[in-house]
Amino acid sequence: YYDCTNFFFEIEQAEGLKQYGPSKEHRPSPIVEMGLFMDGDGIPLAFNIHSGNTNEQSTLRPLEETIMKDFSLSKFVVCTDAGLSSSDNRKFNNKGERAFITTQSVKKLKKHLKQWALDESNWLLSGDNSGQKYNLATLDESNEMKEKYQAKTFYKERWIKEDGLEQKLIVTFSLKYRDYQRSIRSSQIERAKKLIESRPKDVKKHNQNDYKRLIKTTGVTQDGEAADITLCELDESVIALEQMYDGFYAVCTNLEDDATEISKINHKRWEIEECFRIMKTDFKARPVYLKRDDRIKAHFTTCFIALTLYRYLEKRLNGKFTTSEIMKGLRDMNFYEVPGEGYIPTYIRTDFTDALHDVFCFHTDYQIVSTKQMKKIFKDTKK
């Protein structure tokens, strides 16, 4: 899995790696860009730091080549989002034992492919090997039908040729995903209505996910001619257009594997997003106050190592604890040193500390841990 994010600085001057670029948080500050590879188990593999104005798509290939060389890999499958899946990147991973799985916007498909993707007929049901074809229009005919297929995933697939590259287009549909998207939009519509009623002057520029996109403005005079007076109302055409795509999701790949398995692989991309969230929020990797490029790289190397260790710890604990529980639990495991005798634990025993002791075969929740015992624990961690 490969993805990019950026980190902002509390320094206004752009120099070296710190450059002004498209910030994912829309901050007017210099940023650096991090490219991160993660394996199928959620463990970080490698990273690189680029200047904030670097095109994300150009960062994948160099780091991928480094990984393949360092890990002596022959087969490599890269999973990315649509923003990183340029035609060049797909063609690079269409050679030898390399392959790709990437998200594909249904809205941006060519007209005939979009019609095929949104056609309600000829859908297969994931996990159903009978080959029966389903029509999505029948799923809402009754509450029983809707309840029966609420958690199911339907799919269709076909091979296409784009820019001289043959790839398989897989489109999935889920009632649960559709209802989730409509629930989000319903809340946005209510916010848009309140804004129109109470603060119409605040309807200004917006990004593609902002609820203000659902509002259209019209300039008029009292006579109905174009002028400086602005009227605001819900844009029903935008709402109707968005609803067409509710529940649909698409990926492209050059693999011939089962469509359901490929979709499952793609759905795990959330873990790399979580890696970025952990670094930014729990590790407090931002804002960055460093100036020199070598120190900036050292800062993010520390973050990468910490993230890798955290992910291994999380796996050893079988995913039983949240990030906040693990971080707080580790930070709270303090001791009072008694010179010449040992260490007295000052933390309260919890399910987390019990699990930590069981997994790593050591105990520090006694009344006192002797200096000899503590040295042995330190020694064991270096094996």
Side-chain angles (χ1 to χ4, degrees):
Y1 297 87
Y2 183 73
D3 205 352
C4 292
T5 192
N6 47 53
F7 296 83
F8 68 92
F9 286 72
E10 287 293 356
I11 299 173
E12 293 186 2
Q13 183 178 359
E15 59 180 352
L17 289 171
K18 305 184 298 296
Q19 295 293 330
Y20 289 99
S23 170
K24 295 182 183 295
E25 298 163 324
H26 310 289
R27 291 177 179 270
S29 307
I31 58 175
V32 294
E33 182 178 272
M34 172 185 279
L36 178 69
F37 263 108
M38 178 195 81
D39 70 13
D41 291 322
I43 306 299
L45 290 175
F47 81 102
N48 207 345
I49 296 295
H50 316 96
S51 60
N53 55 4
T54 302
N55 185 333
E56 290 183 347
Q57 295 180 348
S58 67
T59 66
L60 183 147
R61 181 171 174 174
L63 192 55
E64 181 180 340
E65 290 175 332
T66 299
I67 291 176
M68 293 182 68
K69 179 181 178 181
D70 291 348
F71 287 81
S72 300
L73 298 173
S74 57
K75 189 171 184 178
F76 200 85
V77 181
V78 180
C79 186
T80 68
D81 65 16
L84 288 159
S85 59
S86 66
S87 179
D88 287 342
N89 284 342
R90 297 190 197 194
K91 288 179 179 178
F92 173 71
N93 283 304
N94 192 45
K95 300 176 182 177
E97 291 295 310
R98 296 194 298 274
F100 65 86
I101 300 173
T102 183
T103 58
Q104 170 64 53
S105 170
V106 178
K107 295 179 182 179
K108 295 180 180 180
L109 287 172
K110 291 183 178 179
K111 184 177 180 180
H112 71 285
L113 293 176
K114 187 186 298 184
Q115 290 176 342
W116 169 81
L118 298 178
D119 191 334
E120 295 179 324
S121 61
N122 296 316
W123 288 82
L124 297 170
L125 178 61
S126 178
D128 183 357
N129 298 321
S130 67
Q132 179 182 347
K133 300 292 182 67
Y134 294 82
N135 190 308
L136 301 183
T138 64
L139 303 182
D140 283 319
E141 287 183 350
S142 67
N143 290 333
E144 290 183 5
M145 286 286 287
K146 188 172 181 179
E147 184 176 345
K148 179 179 179 181
Y149 294 107
Q150 181 70 21
K152 301 291 185 179
T153 299
F154 297 86
Y155 72 94
K156 58 170 61 174
E157 59 183 334
R158 64 180 290 178
W159 285 90
I160 62 174
K161 191 170 184 178
E162 299 284 344
D163 298 325
L165 175 65
E166 288 191 1
Q167 50 193 324
K168 181 162 62 175
L169 172 62
I170 302 170
V171 182
T172 62
F173 176 81
S174 165
L175 283 172
K176 186 176 181 180
Y177 183 44
R178 183 200 67 180
D179 292 346
Y180 167 75
Q181 289 180 302
R182 291 185 176 178
S183 173
I184 295 296
R185 190 181 302 105
S186 177
S187 298
Q188 292 177 334
I189 290 173
E190 290 304 314
R191 292 180 65 189
K193 288 180 178 178
K194 290 181 180 178
L195 184 63
I196 292 172
E197 293 173 357
S198 59
R199 306 191 315 278
K201 293 183 180 180
D202 291 343
V203 180
K204 299 177 182 178
K205 291 184 178 180
H206 54 268
N207 61 45
Q208 60 180 356
N209 295 317
D210 194 330
Y211 71 95
K212 295 177 184 177
R213 75 186 186 282
L214 305 176
I215 302 174
K216 68 176 180 180
T217 58
T218 307
V220 298
T221 64
Q222 291 182 349
D223 298 327
E225 299 177 356
D228 294 333
I229 300 175
T230 301
L231 296 180
C232 299
E233 61 181 329
L234 285 177
D235 195 332
E236 299 293 345
S237 62
V238 171
I239 296 173
L241 181 62
E242 289 189 5
Q243 286 181 341
M244 286 176 52
Y245 301 98
D246 287 346
F248 293 94
Y249 192 88
V251 299
C252 280
T253 183
N254 58 343
L255 293 170
E256 297 185 3
D257 298 58
D258 180 72
T260 303
E261 292 303 315
I262 290 174
S263 295
K264 286 181 180 178
I265 292 172
N266 183 69
H267 288 164
K268 287 189 65 179
R269 284 192 312 103
W270 65 268
E271 286 196 67
I272 198 166
E273 294 288 351
E274 186 182 52
C275 284
F276 291 143
R277 182 193 60 76
I278 290 171
M279 278 193 286
K280 291 180 177 181
T281 304
D282 298 288
F283 292 176
K284 295 180 173 59
R286 56 166 192 182
V288 186
Y289 297 94
L290 302 169
K291 184 176 182 180
R292 284 171 34 184
D293 285 354
D294 59 340
R295 292 181 176 176
I296 292 171
K297 291 180 179 179
H299 168 71
F300 287 109
T301 299
T302 304
C303 294
F304 174 79
I305 294 172
L307 176 65
T308 303
L309 291 173
Y310 168 80
R311 281 303 202 190
Y312 274 116
L313 174 59
E314 185 181 51
K315 297 295 180 183
R316 291 290 299 273
L317 294 171
N318 295 320
K320 293 180 179 179
F321 303 95
T322 65
T323 305
S324 59
E325 288 174 331
I326 292 175
M327 298 295 291
K328 185 178 185 304
L330 291 174
R331 287 171 177 150
D332 287 347
M333 291 183 72
N334 294 317
F335 299 83
Y336 176 75
E337 183 180 5
V338 181
E341 293 189 33
Y343 302 85
I344 299 175
T346 60
Y347 63 90
I348 299 174
R349 179 179 173 182
T350 64
D351 291 340
F352 167 73
T353 60
D354 285 347
L356 195 68
H357 291 147
D358 291 341
V359 168
F360 293 98
C361 302
F362 74 92
H363 288 275
T364 57
D365 50 3
Y366 301 129
Q367 187 173 358
I368 188 168
V369 181
S370 68
T371 302
K372 183 178 179 180
Q373 286 176 301
M374 191 64 80
K375 286 182 177 179
K376 183 179 184 303
I377 292 173
F378 289 157
K379 182 179 179 180
D380 289 342
T381 63
K382 298 177 182 178
K383 292 180 179 180

